[in-house]
Amino acid sequence: MKQLPRAQREAVNSAGYRTMRWMAAREVLQARVSKARIVGPVGDFLAHWLSLAPPNEVDSELWLSFDYAQEQEKLRLVGGSVALAQSKLERALLHLPSLRSFWRQELRQQHFEALRILVPQAWFLDSDQVPPGAVIQGLGTVSWEQTQRALGQDWEIQDAKGQVHQDWPAALAARDCILTLRKPAAVKLKARYVRNDKAQMVLRTIEEAAP
């Protein structure tokens, strides 16, 4: 931990607690969608994609894994013992523009912004057209065709089962695939969190993991 900059040390220390807050907020979102409290196109969109999400469960102990790019001093949450930390679909939900107000309310602004920095971006590949005048948030492109040209080979597509796909049109039509960006090699870290006497997840150990 002493080798990490202060901001990254704080991010690792708080990651267990913030992951638990994220899980609790995610349960609220699931309940609202299941009860049709989010209506219209957004409700239909969420109902479809949430049906593909893996279940989230946590024990008294929590493992999280991180990539740390030393030159850029960037820390990213890339896995763990709960589906939320591993699922690219859950990453896409966290970064979905139409859910920003929901996450801010349920997570509180500070924790939401911290998670947005910590959790890599991902995008739902969906055949719906981008509205005129709008861009795909985080990519700055106006269509998936333009996105593919702009990214070159710096992308990866996975379906809800973790299978990798190369065919963009097929992935868009299937409506079960997530787009992520390839990142440069980084140091792998693994952190273990346990519940304290207030039932909060606190950091117990951290170690460098094998690539």
Side-chain angles (χ1 to χ4, degrees):
M1 283 288 282
K2 292 181 180 179
Q3 299 177 24
L4 294 175
R6 181 177 178 179
Q8 279 65 47
R9 291 200 304 271
E10 193 278 334
V12 172
N13 267 315
S14 304
Y17 172 71
R18 285 175 172 148
T19 297
M20 297 308 296
R21 289 188 67 108
W22 184 12
M23 287 185 66
R26 179 62 176 78
E27 290 178 5
V28 173
L29 178 63
Q30 185 72 52
R32 290 188 184 180
V33 172
S34 298
K35 295 176 181 178
R37 292 181 178 172
I38 302 177
V39 298
V42 173
D44 295 339
F45 179 92
L46 291 174
H48 168 74
W49 286 100
L50 264 60
S51 71
L52 304 177
N56 279 300
E57 298 178 357
V58 65
D59 297 322
S60 59
E61 188 172 283
L62 171 70
W63 286 95
L64 295 176
S65 56
F66 304 88
D67 280 354
Y68 177 56
Q70 292 176 298
E71 292 185 2
Q72 296 84 18
E73 293 188 354
K74 287 187 177 181
L75 187 77
R76 293 291 183 265
L77 174 61
V78 294
S81 59
V82 292
L84 195 75
Q86 302 180 45
S87 171
K88 292 177 173 59
L89 188 152
E90 296 291 355
R91 297 178 193 176
L93 280 173
L94 183 70
H95 289 281
L96 192 65
S98 59
L99 287 179
R100 282 179 185 169
S101 61
F102 169 81
W103 293 123
R104 287 193 183 103
Q105 179 179 355
E106 294 298 324
L107 291 167
R108 300 296 183 261
Q109 180 75 19
Q110 175 189 359
H111 301 303
F112 174 51
E113 294 301 334
L115 283 169
R116 287 184 69 199
I117 293 171
L118 187 64
V119 176
Q121 272 197 280
W123 296 264
F124 296 105
L125 283 182
D126 199 287
S127 56
D128 287 349
Q129 295 295 313
V130 178
V135 298
I136 300 171
Q137 191 273 332
L139 295 173
T141 53
V142 299
S143 69
W144 292 117
E145 291 76 12
Q146 186 186 69
T147 299
Q148 184 180 9
R149 294 193 300 270
L151 294 181
Q153 296 300 312
D154 295 330
W155 53 268
E156 183 174 87
I157 295 171
Q158 286 188 15
D159 63 24
K161 297 180 180 178
Q163 298 295 314
V164 176
H165 295 257
Q166 298 292 328
D167 189 331
W168 281 69
L172 287 164
R175 295 193 73 209
D176 67 349
C177 292
I178 307 296
L179 171 70
T180 59
L181 302 183
R182 291 198 177 104
K183 299 296 182 181
V187 175
K188 306 292 184 180
L189 303 175
K190 188 176 183 180
R192 182 168 67 96
Y193 302 82
V194 296
R195 293 187 187 276
N196 62 14
D197 55 4
K198 297 180 180 179
Q200 297 174 331
M201 285 292 184
V202 295
L203 180 65
R204 175 60 60 87
T205 62
I206 185 170
E207 59 188 17
E208 188 170 348

